[in-house]
């Protein structure tokens, strides 16, 4: 007999680069103080005027210790070799207290968390929900990527290939929400309803 799952849950937000995930998360952070947005552990240097709201800045040795001690749900090496990880102590205690924890992840992080026995399988202790943010069209996404900053053709081809791979993950998520151009409030409303 399994004990009932706590009311809290982990919600993963996933989607291709340029689809508007960070804007959605910022708006949710501003309007929903009851939702917990966990910090990531990172080995990258702290930027000027950067506080501790989004990241727990750690040395390489500290990150190694977090890995070795099983304190990360998942981790990855990102741009320029810095490591980023999802801290278990930023998620599990909050779920156990009945809170919703909202985390943006890439496809690699999604795979790792989705495969974690804490959240998947017959003995999963915690609820996991995943929301894939879709673009209205691939053209819309390409326009967003190229509007951010000038981009070389090779880099654009790489990003489009990455986008194709990421879009395939929509089918693995528990819900899909289209972020239509100029309809951010509608997108937010759909995400809030799912939460």
């Amino acid at each position: 007999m399994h004990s009932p799952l706590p009311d809290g849950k982990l919600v993963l937000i996933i989607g291709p680069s340029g689809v508007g995930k960070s804007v959605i998360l910022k708006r949710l952070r501003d309007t929903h103080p009851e939702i917990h947005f966990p910090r990531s552990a990172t080995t990258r240097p702290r930027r000027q005027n950067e506080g501790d709201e989004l990241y727990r800045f750690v040395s390489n040795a500290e990150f190694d210790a977090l890995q070795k001690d099983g304190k990360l749900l998942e981790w990855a090496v990102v741009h320029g070799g810095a490591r980023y990880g999802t801290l278990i102590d930023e998620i599990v205690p909050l779920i156990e207290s009945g809170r919703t924890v909202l985390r943006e992840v890439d496809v690699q992080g999604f795979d790792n968390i989705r495969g974690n026995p804490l959240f998947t399988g017959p003995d999963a202790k915690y609820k996991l929900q995943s929301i894939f943010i879709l673009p209205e069209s691939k053209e819309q996404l390409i326009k967003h990527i190229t509007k951010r900053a000038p981009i070389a053709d090779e880099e654009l081809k790489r990003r489009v290939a990455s986008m194709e791979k990421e879009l395939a993950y929509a089918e693995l998520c528990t819900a899909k929400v289209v972020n239509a151009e100029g309809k951010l409030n509608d997108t937010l409303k759909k995400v809030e309803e799912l939460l």
Side-chain angles (χ1 to χ4, degrees), residues 57-94:
F57 294 95
V58 296
S59 67
N60 277 308
E62 289 168 321
F63 200 96
D64 290 342
L66 288 169
Q67 277 178 269
K68 189 173 148 291
D69 298 340
K71 294 187 174 176
L72 298 173
L73 258 184
E74 59 86 32
W75 68 276
V77 176
V78 187
H79 333 285
R83 290 181 290 172
Y84 289 78
T86 301
L87 294 152
I88 289 174
D89 70 358
E90 286 270 341
I91 294 175
V92 167
L94 290 121

PDB file of all heavy atoms in Angstrom, residues 57-94:
ATOM      1  N   PHE A  57      25.378  30.246  -6.399  1.00  0.00           N
ATOM      2  CA  PHE A  57      26.697  30.238  -7.037  1.00  0.00           C
ATOM      3  C   PHE A  57      27.639  29.358  -6.229  1.00  0.00           C
ATOM      4  O   PHE A  57      27.776  29.548  -5.018  1.00  0.00           O
ATOM      5  CB  PHE A  57      27.231  31.667  -7.160  1.00  0.00           C
ATOM      6  CG  PHE A  57      26.413  32.506  -8.093  1.00  0.00           C
ATOM      7  CD1 PHE A  57      25.398  33.327  -7.605  1.00  0.00           C
ATOM      8  CD2 PHE A  57      26.619  32.453  -9.465  1.00  0.00           C
ATOM      9  CE1 PHE A  57      24.620  34.083  -8.471  1.00  0.00           C
ATOM     10  CE2 PHE A  57      25.848  33.210 -10.332  1.00  0.00           C
ATOM     11  CZ  PHE A  57      24.843  34.026  -9.835  1.00  0.00           C
ATOM     12  N   VAL A  58      28.239  28.389  -6.917  1.00  0.00           N
ATOM     13  CA  VAL A  58      29.121  27.447  -6.239  1.00  0.00           C
ATOM     14  C   VAL A  58      30.416  27.285  -7.034  1.00  0.00           C
ATOM     15  O   VAL A  58      30.457  27.536  -8.235  1.00  0.00           O
ATOM     16  CB  VAL A  58      28.449  26.060  -6.053  1.00  0.00           C
ATOM     17  CG1 VAL A  58      27.224  26.154  -5.144  1.00  0.00           C
ATOM     18  CG2 VAL A  58      28.077  25.419  -7.377  1.00  0.00           C
ATOM     19  N   SER A  59      31.451  26.829  -6.337  1.00  0.00           N
ATOM     20  CA  SER A  59      32.725  26.547  -7.007  1.00  0.00           C
ATOM     21  C   SER A  59      32.616  25.188  -7.705  1.00  0.00           C
ATOM     22  O   SER A  59      31.670  24.427  -7.453  1.00  0.00           O
ATOM     23  CB  SER A  59      33.845  26.501  -5.973  1.00  0.00           C
ATOM     24  OG  SER A  59      33.641  25.375  -5.124  1.00  0.00           O
ATOM     25  N   ASN A  60      33.580  24.869  -8.537  1.00  0.00           N
ATOM     26  CA  ASN A  60      33.601  23.545  -9.183  1.00  0.00           C
ATOM     27  C   ASN A  60      33.652  22.430  -8.143  1.00  0.00           C
ATOM     28  O   ASN A  60      32.976  21.418  -8.281  1.00  0.00           O
ATOM     29  CB  ASN A  60      34.773  23.443 -10.164  1.00  0.00           C
ATOM     30  CG  ASN A  60      34.427  24.061 -11.510  1.00  0.00           C
ATOM     31  OD1 ASN A  60      33.404  23.727 -12.102  1.00  0.00           O
ATOM     32  ND2 ASN A  60      35.261  24.973 -11.974  1.00  0.00           N
ATOM     33  N   ALA A  61      34.444  22.638  -7.091  1.00  0.00           N
ATOM     34  CA  ALA A  61      34.559  21.618  -6.030  1.00  0.00           C
ATOM     35  C   ALA A  61      33.212  21.438  -5.318  1.00  0.00           C
ATOM     36  O   ALA A  61      32.802  20.311  -5.022  1.00  0.00           O
ATOM     37  CB  ALA A  61      35.642  22.022  -5.035  1.00  0.00           C
ATOM     38  N   GLU A  62      32.516  22.544  -5.049  1.00  0.00           N
ATOM     39  CA  GLU A  62      31.199  22.459  -4.392  1.00  0.00           C
ATOM     40  C   GLU A  62      30.190  21.748  -5.299  1.00  0.00           C
ATOM     41  O   GLU A  62      29.382  20.942  -4.828  1.00  0.00           O
ATOM     42  CB  GLU A  62      30.686  23.855  -4.032  1.00  0.00           C
ATOM     43  CG  GLU A  62      31.440  24.505  -2.883  1.00  0.00           C
ATOM     44  CD  GLU A  62      31.126  25.988  -2.723  1.00  0.00           C
ATOM     45  OE1 GLU A  62      30.987  26.707  -3.748  1.00  0.00           O
ATOM     46  OE2 GLU A  62      31.015  26.429  -1.571  1.00  0.00           O
ATOM     47  N   PHE A  63      30.258  22.034  -6.610  1.00  0.00           N
ATOM     48  CA  PHE A  63      29.346  21.383  -7.557  1.00  0.00           C
ATOM     49  C   PHE A  63      29.627  19.881  -7.592  1.00  0.00           C
ATOM     50  O   PHE A  63      28.698  19.071  -7.578  1.00  0.00           O
ATOM     51  CB  PHE A  63      29.487  21.999  -8.957  1.00  0.00           C
ATOM     52  CG  PHE A  63      28.310  21.738  -9.854  1.00  0.00           C
ATOM     53  CD1 PHE A  63      27.297  22.676  -9.989  1.00  0.00           C
ATOM     54  CD2 PHE A  63      28.200  20.547 -10.562  1.00  0.00           C
ATOM     55  CE1 PHE A  63      26.198  22.427 -10.815  1.00  0.00           C
ATOM     56  CE2 PHE A  63      27.108  20.287 -11.383  1.00  0.00           C
ATOM     57  CZ  PHE A  63      26.104  21.243 -11.511  1.00  0.00           C
ATOM     58  N   ASP A  64      30.923  19.522  -7.613  1.00  0.00           N
ATOM     59  CA  ASP A  64      31.316  18.103  -7.586  1.00  0.00           C
ATOM     60  C   ASP A  64      30.727  17.417  -6.353  1.00  0.00           C
ATOM     61  O   ASP A  64      30.220  16.292  -6.436  1.00  0.00           O
ATOM     62  CB  ASP A  64      32.847  17.949  -7.551  1.00  0.00           C
ATOM     63  CG  ASP A  64      33.501  18.368  -8.867  1.00  0.00           C
ATOM     64  OD1 ASP A  64      32.792  18.445  -9.898  1.00  0.00           O
ATOM     65  OD2 ASP A  64      34.720  18.637  -8.853  1.00  0.00           O
ATOM     66  N   ALA A  65      30.780  18.098  -5.208  1.00  0.00           N
ATOM     67  CA  ALA A  65      30.263  17.540  -3.956  1.00  0.00           C
ATOM     68  C   ALA A  65      28.742  17.367  -4.035  1.00  0.00           C
ATOM     69  O   ALA A  65      28.200  16.349  -3.586  1.00  0.00           O
ATOM     70  CB  ALA A  65      30.646  18.424  -2.773  1.00  0.00           C
ATOM     71  N   LEU A  66      28.035  18.346  -4.623  1.00  0.00           N
ATOM     72  CA  LEU A  66      26.578  18.245  -4.783  1.00  0.00           C
ATOM     73  C   LEU A  66      26.226  17.013  -5.621  1.00  0.00           C
ATOM     74  O   LEU A  66      25.298  16.270  -5.299  1.00  0.00           O
ATOM     75  CB  LEU A  66      26.007  19.509  -5.449  1.00  0.00           C
ATOM     76  CG  LEU A  66      25.971  20.779  -4.604  1.00  0.00           C
ATOM     77  CD1 LEU A  66      25.637  21.989  -5.475  1.00  0.00           C
ATOM     78  CD2 LEU A  66      24.958  20.654  -3.458  1.00  0.00           C
ATOM     79  N   GLN A  67      27.003  16.806  -6.701  1.00  0.00           N
ATOM     80  CA  GLN A  67      26.786  15.632  -7.563  1.00  0.00           C
ATOM     81  C   GLN A  67      27.031  14.338  -6.789  1.00  0.00           C
ATOM     82  O   GLN A  67      26.205  13.440  -6.787  1.00  0.00           O
ATOM     83  CB  GLN A  67      27.757  15.674  -8.749  1.00  0.00           C
ATOM     84  CG  GLN A  67      27.307  16.526  -9.904  1.00  0.00           C
ATOM     85  CD  GLN A  67      28.388  16.497 -10.961  1.00  0.00           C
ATOM     86  OE1 GLN A  67      29.275  17.329 -10.969  1.00  0.00           O
ATOM     87  NE2 GLN A  67      28.325  15.528 -11.848  1.00  0.00           N
ATOM     88  N   LYS A  68      28.194  14.284  -6.148  1.00  0.00           N
ATOM     89  CA  LYS A  68      28.620  13.074  -5.443  1.00  0.00           C
ATOM     90  C   LYS A  68      27.635  12.702  -4.334  1.00  0.00           C
ATOM     91  O   LYS A  68      27.335  11.538  -4.115  1.00  0.00           O
ATOM     92  CB  LYS A  68      30.021  13.311  -4.865  1.00  0.00           C
ATOM     93  CG  LYS A  68      30.692  12.082  -4.295  1.00  0.00           C
ATOM     94  CD  LYS A  68      32.141  12.412  -3.924  1.00  0.00           C
ATOM     95  CE  LYS A  68      32.641  11.649  -2.751  1.00  0.00           C
ATOM     96  NZ  LYS A  68      32.060  11.966  -1.444  1.00  0.00           N
ATOM     97  N   ASP A  69      27.099  13.726  -3.653  1.00  0.00           N
ATOM     98  CA  ASP A  69      26.187  13.489  -2.532  1.00  0.00           C
ATOM     99  C   ASP A  69      24.731  13.289  -2.973  1.00  0.00           C
ATOM    100  O   ASP A  69      23.841  13.214  -2.118  1.00  0.00           O
ATOM    101  CB  ASP A  69      26.273  14.645  -1.527  1.00  0.00           C
ATOM    102  CG  ASP A  69      27.664  14.774  -0.910  1.00  0.00           C
ATOM    103  OD1 ASP A  69      28.431  13.782  -0.960  1.00  0.00           O
ATOM    104  OD2 ASP A  69      27.985  15.861  -0.400  1.00  0.00           O
ATOM    105  N   GLY A  70      24.492  13.249  -4.293  1.00  0.00           N
ATOM    106  CA  GLY A  70      23.139  13.019  -4.790  1.00  0.00           C
ATOM    107  C   GLY A  70      22.175  14.158  -4.497  1.00  0.00           C
ATOM    108  O   GLY A  70      20.979  13.947  -4.289  1.00  0.00           O
ATOM    109  N   LYS A  71      22.689  15.392  -4.478  1.00  0.00           N
ATOM    110  CA  LYS A  71      21.849  16.542  -4.131  1.00  0.00           C
ATOM    111  C   LYS A  71      21.298  17.264  -5.362  1.00  0.00           C
ATOM    112  O   LYS A  71      20.653  18.305  -5.239  1.00  0.00           O
ATOM    113  CB  LYS A  71      22.620  17.517  -3.242  1.00  0.00           C
ATOM    114  CG  LYS A  71      22.916  16.878  -1.886  1.00  0.00           C
ATOM    115  CD  LYS A  71      23.513  17.842  -0.914  1.00  0.00           C
ATOM    116  CE  LYS A  71      23.643  17.159   0.447  1.00  0.00           C
ATOM    117  NZ  LYS A  71      24.285  17.986   1.429  1.00  0.00           N
ATOM    118  N   LEU A  72      21.586  16.714  -6.556  1.00  0.00           N
ATOM    119  CA  LEU A  72      21.075  17.319  -7.797  1.00  0.00           C
ATOM    120  C   LEU A  72      20.101  16.355  -8.470  1.00  0.00           C
ATOM    121  O   LEU A  72      20.389  15.167  -8.602  1.00  0.00           O
ATOM    122  CB  LEU A  72      22.230  17.623  -8.757  1.00  0.00           C
ATOM    123  CG  LEU A  72      23.281  18.635  -8.270  1.00  0.00           C
ATOM    124  CD1 LEU A  72      24.443  18.692  -9.245  1.00  0.00           C
ATOM    125  CD2 LEU A  72      22.663  20.011  -8.094  1.00  0.00           C
ATOM    126  N   LEU A  73      18.966  16.880  -8.901  1.00  0.00           N
ATOM    127  CA  LEU A  73      18.009  16.066  -9.672  1.00  0.00           C
ATOM    128  C   LEU A  73      18.556  15.813 -11.065  1.00  0.00           C
ATOM    129  O   LEU A  73      18.363  14.764 -11.643  1.00  0.00           O
ATOM    130  CB  LEU A  73      16.694  16.840  -9.837  1.00  0.00           C
ATOM    131  CG  LEU A  73      15.528  16.480  -8.966  1.00  0.00           C
ATOM    132  CD1 LEU A  73      14.314  17.292  -9.356  1.00  0.00           C
ATOM    133  CD2 LEU A  73      15.228  15.002  -8.977  1.00  0.00           C
ATOM    134  N   GLU A  74      19.197  16.838 -11.612  1.00  0.00           N
ATOM    135  CA  GLU A  74      19.808  16.749 -12.943  1.00  0.00           C
ATOM    136  C   GLU A  74      20.805  17.876 -13.049  1.00  0.00           C
ATOM    137  O   GLU A  74      20.752  18.840 -12.295  1.00  0.00           O
ATOM    138  CB  GLU A  74      18.738  16.827 -14.050  1.00  0.00           C
ATOM    139  CG  GLU A  74      17.896  18.096 -14.065  1.00  0.00           C
ATOM    140  CD  GLU A  74      18.505  19.246 -14.847  1.00  0.00           C
ATOM    141  OE1 GLU A  74      19.213  19.006 -15.842  1.00  0.00           O
ATOM    142  OE2 GLU A  74      18.278  20.400 -14.470  1.00  0.00           O
ATOM    143  N   TRP A  75      21.720  17.737 -14.009  1.00  0.00           N
ATOM    144  CA  TRP A  75      22.680  18.815 -14.246  1.00  0.00           C
ATOM    145  C   TRP A  75      23.185  18.729 -15.679  1.00  0.00           C
ATOM    146  O   TRP A  75      23.029  17.715 -16.350  1.00  0.00           O
ATOM    147  CB  TRP A  75      23.838  18.760 -13.247  1.00  0.00           C
ATOM    148  CG  TRP A  75      24.732  17.575 -13.425  1.00  0.00           C
ATOM    149  CD1 TRP A  75      24.533  16.327 -12.920  1.00  0.00           C
ATOM    150  CD2 TRP A  75      25.931  17.515 -14.193  1.00  0.00           C
ATOM    151  NE1 TRP A  75      25.547  15.494 -13.316  1.00  0.00           N
ATOM    152  CE2 TRP A  75      26.419  16.191 -14.108  1.00  0.00           C
ATOM    153  CE3 TRP A  75      26.647  18.454 -14.949  1.00  0.00           C
ATOM    154  CZ2 TRP A  75      27.585  15.785 -14.742  1.00  0.00           C
ATOM    155  CZ3 TRP A  75      27.813  18.039 -15.573  1.00  0.00           C
ATOM    156  CH2 TRP A  75      28.267  16.728 -15.467  1.00  0.00           C
ATOM    157  N   ALA A  76      23.736  19.835 -16.158  1.00  0.00           N
ATOM    158  CA  ALA A  76      24.258  19.879 -17.525  1.00  0.00           C
ATOM    159  C   ALA A  76      25.381  20.902 -17.609  1.00  0.00           C
ATOM    160  O   ALA A  76      25.458  21.825 -16.804  1.00  0.00           O
ATOM    161  CB  ALA A  76      23.146  20.256 -18.495  1.00  0.00           C
ATOM    162  N   VAL A  77      26.218  20.712 -18.620  1.00  0.00           N
ATOM    163  CA  VAL A  77      27.239  21.708 -18.956  1.00  0.00           C
ATOM    164  C   VAL A  77      26.603  22.594 -20.016  1.00  0.00           C
ATOM    165  O   VAL A  77      26.085  22.114 -21.019  1.00  0.00           O
ATOM    166  CB  VAL A  77      28.513  21.037 -19.508  1.00  0.00           C
ATOM    167  CG1 VAL A  77      29.512  22.094 -19.951  1.00  0.00           C
ATOM    168  CG2 VAL A  77      29.128  20.117 -18.468  1.00  0.00           C
ATOM    169  N   VAL A  78      26.580  23.897 -19.753  1.00  0.00           N
ATOM    170  CA  VAL A  78      25.928  24.836 -20.664  1.00  0.00           C
ATOM    171  C   VAL A  78      26.984  25.774 -21.223  1.00  0.00           C
ATOM    172  O   VAL A  78      28.134  25.740 -20.803  1.00  0.00           O
ATOM    173  CB  VAL A  78      24.796  25.594 -19.915  1.00  0.00           C
ATOM    174  CG1 VAL A  78      23.965  26.450 -20.847  1.00  0.00           C
ATOM    175  CG2 VAL A  78      23.879  24.601 -19.219  1.00  0.00           C
ATOM    176  N   HIS A  79      26.549  26.629 -22.144  1.00  0.00           N
ATOM    177  CA  HIS A  79      27.424  27.583 -22.848  1.00  0.00           C
ATOM    178  C   HIS A  79      28.705  27.911 -22.086  1.00  0.00           C
ATOM    179  O   HIS A  79      28.645  28.334 -20.950  1.00  0.00           O
ATOM    180  CB  HIS A  79      26.692  28.908 -23.123  1.00  0.00           C
ATOM    181  CG  HIS A  79      25.216  28.777 -23.249  1.00  0.00           C
ATOM    182  ND1 HIS A  79      24.635  28.250 -24.378  1.00  0.00           N
ATOM    183  CD2 HIS A  79      24.210  29.049 -22.402  1.00  0.00           C
ATOM    184  CE1 HIS A  79      23.338  28.222 -24.208  1.00  0.00           C
ATOM    185  NE2 HIS A  79      23.046  28.695 -23.021  1.00  0.00           N
ATOM    186  N   GLY A  80      29.810  27.733 -22.735  1.00  0.00           N
ATOM    187  CA  GLY A  80      31.090  28.139 -22.158  1.00  0.00           C
ATOM    188  C   GLY A  80      31.604  27.238 -21.052  1.00  0.00           C
ATOM    189  O   GLY A  80      32.538  27.591 -20.354  1.00  0.00           O
ATOM    190  N   GLY A  81      30.984  26.073 -20.875  1.00  0.00           N
ATOM    191  CA  GLY A  81      31.524  25.111 -19.929  1.00  0.00           C
ATOM    192  C   GLY A  81      31.047  25.235 -18.493  1.00  0.00           C
ATOM    193  O   GLY A  81      31.448  24.445 -17.649  1.00  0.00           O
ATOM    194  N   ALA A  82      30.218  26.240 -18.172  1.00  0.00           N
ATOM    195  CA  ALA A  82      29.694  26.344 -16.806  1.00  0.00           C
ATOM    196  C   ALA A  82      28.675  25.227 -16.586  1.00  0.00           C
ATOM    197  O   ALA A  82      27.988  24.818 -17.517  1.00  0.00           O
ATOM    198  CB  ALA A  82      29.040  27.700 -16.584  1.00  0.00           C
ATOM    199  N   ARG A  83      28.619  24.722 -15.357  1.00  0.00           N
ATOM    200  CA  ARG A  83      27.641  23.669 -15.040  1.00  0.00           C
ATOM    201  C   ARG A  83      26.444  24.284 -14.305  1.00  0.00           C
ATOM    202  O   ARG A  83      26.606  25.203 -13.506  1.00  0.00           O
ATOM    203  CB  ARG A  83      28.294  22.587 -14.181  1.00  0.00           C
ATOM    204  CG  ARG A  83      29.300  21.762 -14.965  1.00  0.00           C
ATOM    205  CD  ARG A  83      29.933  20.681 -14.128  1.00  0.00           C
ATOM    206  NE  ARG A  83      30.827  21.247 -13.119  1.00  0.00           N
ATOM    207  CZ  ARG A  83      31.389  20.541 -12.147  1.00  0.00           C
ATOM    208  NH1 ARG A  83      31.141  19.248 -12.025  1.00  0.00           N
ATOM    209  NH2 ARG A  83      32.200  21.115 -11.277  1.00  0.00           N
ATOM    210  N   TYR A  84      25.279  23.756 -14.606  1.00  0.00           N
ATOM    211  CA  TYR A  84      24.033  24.175 -13.966  1.00  0.00           C
ATOM    212  C   TYR A  84      23.342  22.917 -13.469  1.00  0.00           C
ATOM    213  O   TYR A  84      23.343  21.897 -14.157  1.00  0.00           O
ATOM    214  CB  TYR A  84      23.096  24.861 -14.971  1.00  0.00           C
ATOM    215  CG  TYR A  84      23.549  26.225 -15.421  1.00  0.00           C
ATOM    216  CD1 TYR A  84      24.544  26.369 -16.374  1.00  0.00           C
ATOM    217  CD2 TYR A  84      22.968  27.369 -14.898  1.00  0.00           C
ATOM    218  CE1 TYR A  84      24.956  27.623 -16.801  1.00  0.00           C
ATOM    219  CE2 TYR A  84      23.381  28.638 -15.319  1.00  0.00           C
ATOM    220  CZ  TYR A  84      24.371  28.756 -16.268  1.00  0.00           C
ATOM    221  OH  TYR A  84      24.772  29.994 -16.683  1.00  0.00           O
ATOM    222  N   GLY A  85      22.742  22.980 -12.299  1.00  0.00           N
ATOM    223  CA  GLY A  85      22.051  21.812 -11.772  1.00  0.00           C
ATOM    224  C   GLY A  85      20.773  22.175 -11.038  1.00  0.00           C
ATOM    225  O   GLY A  85      20.646  23.270 -10.496  1.00  0.00           O
ATOM    226  N   THR A  86      19.827  21.238 -11.032  1.00  0.00           N
ATOM    227  CA  THR A  86      18.571  21.391 -10.310  1.00  0.00           C
ATOM    228  C   THR A  86      18.752  20.801  -8.913  1.00  0.00           C
ATOM    229  O   THR A  86      19.002  19.605  -8.772  1.00  0.00           O
ATOM    230  CB  THR A  86      17.430  20.662 -11.062  1.00  0.00           C
ATOM    231  OG1 THR A  86      17.317  21.225 -12.367  1.00  0.00           O
ATOM    232  CG2 THR A  86      16.109  20.809 -10.330  1.00  0.00           C
ATOM    233  N   LEU A  87      18.649  21.651  -7.907  1.00  0.00           N
ATOM    234  CA  LEU A  87      18.888  21.260  -6.519  1.00  0.00           C
ATOM    235  C   LEU A  87      17.658  20.587  -5.910  1.00  0.00           C
ATOM    236  O   LEU A  87      16.574  21.171  -5.898  1.00  0.00           O
ATOM    237  CB  LEU A  87      19.230  22.501  -5.690  1.00  0.00           C
ATOM    238  CG  LEU A  87      20.555  23.179  -6.049  1.00  0.00           C
ATOM    239  CD1 LEU A  87      20.517  24.654  -5.733  1.00  0.00           C
ATOM    240  CD2 LEU A  87      21.693  22.491  -5.301  1.00  0.00           C
ATOM    241  N   ILE A  88      17.842  19.381  -5.403  1.00  0.00           N
ATOM    242  CA  ILE A  88      16.738  18.647  -4.776  1.00  0.00           C
ATOM    243  C   ILE A  88      16.174  19.437  -3.590  1.00  0.00           C
ATOM    244  O   ILE A  88      14.966  19.520  -3.413  1.00  0.00           O
ATOM    245  CB  ILE A  88      17.188  17.231  -4.348  1.00  0.00           C
ATOM    246  CG1 ILE A  88      17.410  16.366  -5.603  1.00  0.00           C
ATOM    247  CG2 ILE A  88      16.165  16.579  -3.415  1.00  0.00           C
ATOM    248  CD1 ILE A  88      17.991  14.993  -5.354  1.00  0.00           C
ATOM    249  N   ASP A  89      17.062  20.080  -2.791  1.00  0.00           N
ATOM    250  CA  ASP A  89      16.568  20.790  -1.604  1.00  0.00           C
ATOM    251  C   ASP A  89      15.820  22.080  -1.927  1.00  0.00           C
ATOM    252  O   ASP A  89      15.240  22.711  -1.048  1.00  0.00           O
ATOM    253  CB  ASP A  89      17.691  21.020  -0.572  1.00  0.00           C
ATOM    254  CG  ASP A  89      18.727  22.041  -1.021  1.00  0.00           C
ATOM    255  OD1 ASP A  89      18.631  22.568  -2.146  1.00  0.00           O
ATOM    256  OD2 ASP A  89      19.668  22.308  -0.247  1.00  0.00           O
ATOM    257  N   GLU A  90      15.819  22.476  -3.196  1.00  0.00           N
ATOM    258  CA  GLU A  90      15.026  23.634  -3.636  1.00  0.00           C
ATOM    259  C   GLU A  90      13.654  23.179  -4.132  1.00  0.00           C
ATOM    260  O   GLU A  90      12.827  23.993  -4.521  1.00  0.00           O
ATOM    261  CB  GLU A  90      15.748  24.376  -4.769  1.00  0.00           C
ATOM    262  CG  GLU A  90      16.932  25.187  -4.316  1.00  0.00           C
ATOM    263  CD  GLU A  90      16.592  26.618  -3.944  1.00  0.00           C
ATOM    264  OE1 GLU A  90      15.539  27.127  -4.346  1.00  0.00           O
ATOM    265  OE2 GLU A  90      17.407  27.240  -3.225  1.00  0.00           O
ATOM    266  N   ILE A  91      13.427  21.845  -4.178  1.00  0.00           N
ATOM    267  CA  ILE A  91      12.189  21.318  -4.760  1.00  0.00           C
ATOM    268  C   ILE A  91      11.424  20.422  -3.786  1.00  0.00           C
ATOM    269  O   ILE A  91      10.273  20.703  -3.443  1.00  0.00           O
ATOM    270  CB  ILE A  91      12.506  20.560  -6.075  1.00  0.00           C
ATOM    271  CG1 ILE A  91      13.017  21.558  -7.114  1.00  0.00           C
ATOM    272  CG2 ILE A  91      11.278  19.811  -6.596  1.00  0.00           C
ATOM    273  CD1 ILE A  91      13.487  20.974  -8.401  1.00  0.00           C
ATOM    274  N   VAL A  92      12.040  19.334  -3.348  1.00  0.00           N
ATOM    275  CA  VAL A  92      11.337  18.312  -2.563  1.00  0.00           C
ATOM    276  C   VAL A  92      10.710  18.856  -1.269  1.00  0.00           C
ATOM    277  O   VAL A  92       9.527  18.616  -1.013  1.00  0.00           O
ATOM    278  CB  VAL A  92      12.245  17.085  -2.318  1.00  0.00           C
ATOM    279  CG1 VAL A  92      11.670  16.169  -1.252  1.00  0.00           C
ATOM    280  CG2 VAL A  92      12.437  16.327  -3.632  1.00  0.00           C
ATOM    281  N   PRO A  93      11.437  19.624  -0.418  1.00  0.00           N
ATOM    282  CA  PRO A  93      10.801  20.112   0.815  1.00  0.00           C
ATOM    283  C   PRO A  93       9.559  20.970   0.534  1.00  0.00           C
ATOM    284  O   PRO A  93       8.598  20.944   1.302  1.00  0.00           O
ATOM    285  CB  PRO A  93      11.902  20.943   1.489  1.00  0.00           C
ATOM    286  CG  PRO A  93      13.187  20.442   0.901  1.00  0.00           C
ATOM    287  CD  PRO A  93      12.855  20.009  -0.498  1.00  0.00           C
ATOM    288  N   LEU A  94       9.578  21.719  -0.567  1.00  0.00           N
ATOM    289  CA  LEU A  94       8.429  22.572  -0.905  1.00  0.00           C
ATOM    290  C   LEU A  94       7.239  21.750  -1.386  1.00  0.00           C
ATOM    291  O   LEU A  94       6.103  22.034  -1.027  1.00  0.00           O
ATOM    292  CB  LEU A  94       8.855  23.631  -1.927  1.00  0.00           C
ATOM    293  CG  LEU A  94       9.779  24.626  -1.202  1.00  0.00           C
ATOM    294  CD1 LEU A  94      11.119  24.692  -1.819  1.00  0.00           C
ATOM    295  CD2 LEU A  94       9.118  25.942  -1.038  1.00  0.00           C
TER     296      LEU A  94
END
